[in-house]
Amino acid sequence: MTHPATPSSLSRRSRPWGTAGAGLAAVAACAVCCAGPLLALLGGLGAASALASFWVPALAVVAVAAGAAAYVLHRRRRAAACRTAGPVDLGLPAVGQDRDAEHKR
């Protein structure tokens, strides 16, 4: 003898499909929601890499020029730091100089 279907027995049978259906709906909603920003991000990265492929040789030239300029400036500053202006009078008495002899004159 079979029992008639009651609302509680029907809900137990359809519950796994309802959960899977809700999960699939959530996945689809997430895909629709996030697709635009993800495609924009990937498109921006693609455009940036295409632009960079043209600028990489120019950036290499700029890097070499900057390195050469830094080397030249370093050499100039080092040479200027090593130059002397000549003897500087500090106003101190010389070694062995007699102070009394200066006052007697």
Side-chain angles (χ1 to χ4, degrees), residues 18-102:
T19 304
L24 288 174
V27 167
C30 182
V32 169
C33 174
C34 297
L38 286 176
L39 289 176
L41 176 72
L42 292 175
L45 288 174
S49 65
L51 183 63
S53 68
F54 293 113
W55 286 102
V56 166
L59 290 176
V61 170
V62 169
V64 168
Y71 177 74
V72 168
L73 288 175
H74 176 70
R75 295 279 298 187
R76 283 185 186 173
R77 288 182 183 169
R78 191 174 198 186
C82 291
R83 277 191 231 129
T84 59
V88 177
D89 184 25
L90 299 178
L92 299 175
V95 177
Q97 188 178 18
D98 187 16
R99 289 187 183 187
D100 293 333
E102 290 181 10

